[in-house]
Amino acid sequence: MIGIKSSKALVALLLTLSSIPTAHSSFRCPPAFWKVRGGGDAAPQSVATDNKNLSLDEKVQKAMEKLGLAGNAEEKQECDGGKCELKSAEASTETSSQLDTKSSTQEGPHVLAERISIEMGVTKDLAMAALGATALQQSGTERRLDEDAARALIQQELNLISGISEDREDVKRLVEEGHEMFLARRALAFADENMDDARAILEADRIDAAEEERREEEAKSNSEEEADQLKEDNVASRTPELKTIDVDSNFDPTSGNLPSRGDEIPKENVSTKSLPPPATKSDVVFEATTSQIQELVLESPVPVLLDAYAPWCGPCKALTPALEEMAVKSGGAFRLVKVNTDNERAISTALEVTALPTIFAIKDGKVLNNFQGMPKSEEMMRNFMMGLLMPGANFNPPVSSEQKKNFEELSVKLAKTAGAANFSFSARERLQSRMAKHLHDLVEAHDGDMAGAEKSAKVVRSLLSNVIRDPYNMKFRTVNLENKKIEAHVHAYAPCVAILKNVGFGLEEGSSLMTIVKDKKVVNLSTLTVARDCIDKWIDKNRHKVAVANRKRKDEAARSKLVAEGSNISGSKEEDNEEEIDPDAVVLKVRLEGKKKIHELEMRADDPLQKIVDNLLDSTVDENYQIICAAKKLIVKSDDGNTLSMSLRSLGLAPAAALVIKISSSESKESTVNTLKDRVAAKKNLKRGSHTMQSIGVYAKDDNAKGEVIDGGGGVLYEQDVTDDEEEGEGEENKDDDNNEEA
């Protein structure tokens, strides 16, 4: 293990030995880097004349350039300040169709297939097959790749698979035979729902998978044998040496003359014996694709320098060899991972690369710092490497809080992109099939209660989302099953625990904690993302059922609450009024007809009905009356002695009732009849008027004070009658008033 002091000496020596070129105002590649493909070190002027040393590829390239057929990707590139700016999508003036055609023709089929597989979540083989099936024939034997058509074909295949329901009998039969749910649906979709053809497809897939697994095992064993042989050769070629330190006999460790941590160590004071032996280039320098980033960068046991470059970038050609030499001479203290941004656009997009070269310092899967272009000075590069390699050291200049936040976001993006590329399509299908089964079992575990199942699924989803949001925080990567909420909604249901196990969570022995990849610094987020997407789709699909279940649960809770409150109220009333209730007490509300006052009588249930009349009316007056109770449909006349003698209880008037007493006499009855006759006669007389308002001079057309003609519409005017009977009636009323005054 390299200590702090030896690490500092190592960085100083490596920078001195590698002689990293630095940037200046207008960078031009040195003559040593003016190389055409496969050529020598000649300058550009001599390359055109020296054709004997060129290979066949170089001669073809020169002929294409002479005829104007060569692309401009590797032509003279102006790179100011030691870096080459990348054109953004907004700066391009080409139309979208031109961009699609250009990208499809410039990208190779393997690069394009890998990009499609990452973006659509399918295997690279499937993307290659779709590109081959949709390629357009051009002149001769040339074919142009159509990316849009390939994407449409892949989406059509995915839609075809989704048309086969999981509840079909054929699917269930194939699952019972040992096949996975999703694979059975796919086979039926491809076989036009023919069972024999579907079985043949599944058998062919099984054979292909077995053959592929055998090849992978052979390749793995061969690579291990080659690695062991290479290590043996390296050990045999090296002569073991013991590290010795020459100490002066007069050396005093308490003198305080030791070099401080910030002092620069001169080259002559650095002993090569204190440094580790150089490493093999293949062990520390890697050319990575998107699918290899997870293994080479995020899960690397040592710090990583990630070099984002392009073949046409002049500064990249100057900086990359120096970084390779540093990685070899470091003896494995760090590794260099190179990423071709022309081929691995997913990585350059995730890391937001805007200029080349861009160097990222990555440790434990986290992006710590970066710089663009050539190093401005040797001191700048030394500080950068010290911040990466030395434990507890800080970068100089220090990384600001805003930059730290940006680097954290880049780390999460890189982890998501690398995980998606490292997760095969077949593994994705198997995980989706298991997730569908677990969610179905979760509903059964809740006895068909969709609301409870959704609650448990949301808790599991929140646990997955926490890890996806911050995959480096061990707090989120650990689930405590004894937590009240987790125990009630997750631990109590086996399907929830099974979901956590399928995405990588494992239960620690003798503990209630579940941890995901405890021995690694970073988590492969692909399984977590797929599981979370499955939960989201399941919730969206069953949204109506969940809403109905939630409504039913709320209604039951409200009903139970009302029942509980009602029982409490009735119980309290019974306790309060149990001793005060008098079964013989009767309360009657009585009103005399024509009067507004209501008399409230407190009587006993055994009292006769006649007692009501005795309490309200004078018995000496000879009057006819009726007692009416509308609620009981009871009418008792004054001449009905039997009913008047009956008790209030027997008449149903206990414990309370409302009565009306209607009083009438013979005189009042006769006067009433005469009055009605007079009113009828007067009404008939009203219709026999002899005058009008106009004839007696009362009416004036424009006199609003006395009246206006009634407009009947259409120009028809009506006049109000003034009858003799009204005048006579008014005279009689005046006479009656005079008689009343005299009386």
Side-chain angles (χ1 to χ4, degrees), residues 354-460:
T354 59
L356 298 178
T358 300
I359 309 300
F360 293 90
I362 301 176
K363 188 176 183 180
D364 295 336
K366 297 181 181 180
V367 179
L368 302 180
N369 202 351
N370 73 337
F371 69 87
Q372 294 179 342
M374 300 293 294
K376 300 185 182 302
S377 64
E378 185 176 342
E379 182 68 20
M380 174 263 180
M381 190 65 190
R382 178 182 292 106
N383 293 331
F384 188 83
M385 295 301 297
M386 295 287 284
L388 175 63
L389 296 180
M390 290 187 60
N394 296 324
F395 290 94
N396 187 17
V399 181
S400 63
S401 58
E402 184 177 355
Q403 288 177 322
K404 287 183 180 179
K405 184 178 180 181
N406 183 40
F407 289 147
E408 290 176 358
E409 294 177 356
L410 294 182
S411 301
V412 175
K413 289 182 181 179
L414 181 63
K416 290 182 178 180
T417 304
N422 197 39
F423 197 47
S424 64
F425 184 64
S426 58
R428 184 188 300 269
E429 290 179 343
R430 289 192 292 269
L431 180 57
Q432 290 174 343
S433 178
R434 289 194 294 267
M435 285 295 300
K437 181 179 182 301
H438 293 326
L439 292 173
H440 180 269
D441 295 341
L442 181 60
V443 179
E444 295 182 352
H446 279 271
D447 298 330
D449 183 12
M450 290 296 299
E454 185 208 27
K455 182 66 175 179
S456 297
K458 284 186 175 180
V459 174
V460 175

Side-chain angles (χ1 to χ4, degrees), residues 41 69 210 221 227 232 243 302 310 335 356 367 406 448 505 511 570 586 593 616 621 653 663 709-710:
D41 297 338
L69 301 177
S221 61
E232 293 177 0
K243 296 182 179 180
V302 295
R335 64 172 53 171
L356 298 178
V367 179
N406 183 40
F505 281 91
S511 174
S570 61
V586 178
E593 188 182 34
L616 296 179
V621 180
L653 301 179
I663 303 173
V709 178
I710 299 175

Side-chain angles (χ1 to χ4, degrees), residues 26-28 75-80 83-85:
S26 181
F27 178 82
R28 294 293 183 272
E75 291 179 357
K76 296 180 180 179
Q77 181 75 23
E78 295 293 335
C79 300
D80 296 332
K83 63 180 179 181
C84 304
E85 298 291 340

Side-chain angles (χ1 to χ4, degrees), residues 235-257:
V235 172
S237 62
R238 297 172 186 169
T239 57
E241 295 183 4
L242 295 176
K243 296 182 179 180
T244 59
I245 301 177
D246 297 332
V247 181
D248 189 359
S249 60
N250 297 324
F251 171 71
D252 184 7
T254 63
S255 61
N257 295 325

Side-chain angles (χ1 to χ4, degrees), residues 46-205:
S46 61
V47 172
T49 58
D50 190 7
N51 293 332
K52 296 181 180 180
N53 296 330
L54 298 180
S55 63
L56 179 61
D57 292 339
E58 293 168 345
K59 292 179 181 180
V60 172
Q61 181 69 20
K62 284 181 61 62
M64 293 177 64
E65 292 176 356
K66 185 176 181 180
L67 296 174
L69 301 177
N72 56 4
E74 296 187 7
E75 291 179 357
K76 296 180 180 179
Q77 181 75 23
E78 295 293 335
C79 300
D80 296 332
K83 63 180 179 181
C84 304
E85 298 291 340
L86 294 179
K87 292 183 178 180
S88 61
E90 291 79 2
S92 177
T93 57
E94 298 179 7
T95 61
S96 59
S97 60
Q98 289 174 339
L99 283 174
D100 293 340
T101 304
K102 185 176 180 180
S103 62
S104 299
T105 54
Q106 286 184 352
E107 288 182 331
H110 293 281
V111 176
L112 184 58
E114 185 169 358
R115 180 162 60 84
I116 293 176
S117 65
I118 294 174
E119 294 176 357
M120 299 193 67
V122 298
T123 61
K124 184 177 179 180
D125 296 337
L126 179 60
M128 284 289 294
L131 288 172
T134 57
L136 302 178
Q137 187 72 27
Q138 291 185 339
S139 60
T141 59
E142 296 181 357
R143 303 183 70 186
R144 182 174 63 84
L145 302 179
D146 192 341
E147 181 180 353
D148 294 336
R151 290 177 179 271
L153 182 61
I154 295 173
Q155 188 62 43
Q156 182 179 4
E157 181 175 336
L158 296 177
N159 295 337
L160 183 64
I161 296 174
S162 63
I164 303 298
S165 174
E166 297 179 358
D167 300 332
R168 291 174 58 94
E169 294 296 332
D170 297 341
V171 176
K172 294 181 180 179
R173 198 180 311 163
L174 292 176
V175 172
E176 292 175 356
E177 294 176 2
H179 303 290
E180 295 184 6
M181 175 71 73
F182 188 84
L183 298 180
R185 293 170 56 201
R186 184 179 65 173
L188 284 172
F190 292 165
D192 294 334
E193 304 180 10
N194 187 297
M195 286 292 293
D196 296 335
D197 294 344
R199 289 191 178 95
I201 292 174
L202 292 171
E203 182 63 22
D205 290 343

Side-chain angles (χ1 to χ4, degrees), residues 8-29:
K8 187 173 182 180
L10 172 65
V11 173
L13 179 61
L14 292 178
L15 290 173
T16 305
L17 296 177
S18 59
S19 300
I20 294 180
T22 56
H24 36 87
S25 59
S26 181
F27 178 82
R28 294 293 183 272
C29 294

